[in-house]
């Protein structure tokens, strides 16, 4: 195998630094022992790495071009060793010093986590809005140390092991030479400082658990799964850092009369057969009737619904603007479905009157009106035209 670094990397003698680096990356990906464990590939990987060390260093490259031997023992020897950064750079295409080390100390003060709680509200409260008091257990800043973590009168001091860097270098020898990596300092856990006298209240964390009461304003129009965000009301971060956000997730309890579909309300009203035939007026409650009278005054709690004569079972009456207010304005509708109750038991007099009515209407032996359950689009259009 040639010992010429230019031939080992497959570049010309006039190649710039970027071309040399790209050539080394390509070969390192092919020859690295993790990819090709055979001895021949390992030997060539060492030669390619040594060649790159020479050509990537302007002084060593100049010395070689003048005919010198920068290692004093060929490219296969140990020489002065090489940086683990170059190998990592070949695989990840970036600065290994930034990815695997050189990050500096970890900050003690960090943002806290977000918190989530779920509450149940009534349909009217979800529709028109409500304010609720909540009791939450979260981490709050320690008042004894002010979040610093040190006992009153003391402060964190620089770590003597890493001298405030938060990381220490580890050197390991292998067939590749010396591999130098940076790891978090075990003495200070990567913070770069230690707390010689931790606060007894928070044990040096800068925060403690506490129960507190919050008031959350739930806007009108929320629905199941809606989340109300309370900024900076979540967990205080380590070291007394900024608090995360608190999210309040809404669950709407079922209503005994109304069923919600988006911003529309639906309900069913049953009327006797005679009322459906003759027509009638019934009183229906509004959703506002569920509100606390002390909160709302002068609201309409009921209304009169006109049922025309000849109403069939399943007929639907849509009342505009009597549904749920929208989060972005407007209000849905109320859809009332009419159900006609047919008497199941008749006394002799009632049966006699109904038979007399059937005779008058010629309905003693009705044949029935048989039709498809679901009409096609053309069938519905035909019915619509023939109805006029």
């Amino acid at each position: 195998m040639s010992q010429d670094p230019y031939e080992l990397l497959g570049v010309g003698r006039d190649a710039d630094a970027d071309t040399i680096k790209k050539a080394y990356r390509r070969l390192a990906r092919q020859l690295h022992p993790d990819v090709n464990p055979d001895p021949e590939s390992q030997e060539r990987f060492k030669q390619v790495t040594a060649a790159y060390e020479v050509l990537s260093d302007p002084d060593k490259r100049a010395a070689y071009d003048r005919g010198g031997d920068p290692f004093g023992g060929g490219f296969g020897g140990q020489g002065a060793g090489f940086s683990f950064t170059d190998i990592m750079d070949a695989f990840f295409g970036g600065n290994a010093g930034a990815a695997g080390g050189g990050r500096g100390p970890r900050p003690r003060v960090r943002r806290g986590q977000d918190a989530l709680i779920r509450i149940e509200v009534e349909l009217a409260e979800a529709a028109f809005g409500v304010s609720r008091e909540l009791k939450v257990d979260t981490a709050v800043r320690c008042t004894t140390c002010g979040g610093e973590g040190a006992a009153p009168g003391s402060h964190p001091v620089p770590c003597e092991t890493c001298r405030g860097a938060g990381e220490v270098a580890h050197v390991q020898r292998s067939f590749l030479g010396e591999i130098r990596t940076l790891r978090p300092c075990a003495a200070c856990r990567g913070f770069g400082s230690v707390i010689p006298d931790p606060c007894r209240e928070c044990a040096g964390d800068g925060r403690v658990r506490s129960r507190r009461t919050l008031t959350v304003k739930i806007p009108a129009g929320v629905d199941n799964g809606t989340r109300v965000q309370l900024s900076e009301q979540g967990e205080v971060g380590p070291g007394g850092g900024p608090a995360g956000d608190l999210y309040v997730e809404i669950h709407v309890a079922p209503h005994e009369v109304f069923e919600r579909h988006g911003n529309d309300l639906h309900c069913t009203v049953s009327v006797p057969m005679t009322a459906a035939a003759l027509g009638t007026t019934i009183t229906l409650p509004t959703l506002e009737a569920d509100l606390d009278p002390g909160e709302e005054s002068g609201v309409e709690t009921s209304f009169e619904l006109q049922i025309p004569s000849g109403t069939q079972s399943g007929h639907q009456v849509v009342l505009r603007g009597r549904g749920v207010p929208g989060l972005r304005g407007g209000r849905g509708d109320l859809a009332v479905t009419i159900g006609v109750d047919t008497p199941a038991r008749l006394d002799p007099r009632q049966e006699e009157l109904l038979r007399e009515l059937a005779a008058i209407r010629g309905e003693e032996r009705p044949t029935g009106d048989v039709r498809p359950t679901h009409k096609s689009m053309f069938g519905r259009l035909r019915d619509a035209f023939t109805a006029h």
Side-chain angles (χ1 to χ4, degrees), residues 7-11 19-32 44 48 90-91:
E7 292 184 10
L8 286 170
L9 294 180
V11 298
T19 301
I20 293 171
K21 190 173 186 178
K22 289 180 179 178
Y24 174 65
R25 287 181 181 174
R26 176 178 55 80
L27 291 171
R29 291 191 183 99
Q30 297 174 1
L31 302 173
H32 192 275
R44 192 179 174 204
V48 166
F91 280 92

Side-chain angles (χ1 to χ4, degrees), residues 103-106 159 162-168 185 188 190-193:
R103 293 167 295 187
R106 295 168 51 201
C159 175
C162 65
R163 298 183 180 182
E167 51 195 7
V168 293
C185 176
C188 64
F191 291 121
S193 63

Side-chain angles (χ1 to χ4, degrees), residues 354-367:
L354 281 179
R355 290 189 181 280
E356 184 177 340
L357 176 61
I360 295 173
R361 292 178 55 84
E363 298 173 349
E364 298 98 323
R365 298 181 63 85
T367 58

Side-chain angles (χ1 to χ4, degrees), residues 24 29 40 43 45 54 93 108 128 144 155 167-168 184 188 195 207 222 248 264 316 318 360 370 382:
Y24 174 65
R29 291 191 183 99
E40 184 178 346
E43 180 63 27
F45 179 71
V54 172
R108 284 190 179 275
F128 304 111
T144 302
H155 301 281
E167 51 195 7
V168 293
C188 64
I195 301 176
R207 54 184 182 169
V222 297
V248 181
D264 295 333
Q316 191 175 76
V318 178
I360 295 173
V370 181
R382 184 184 63 246

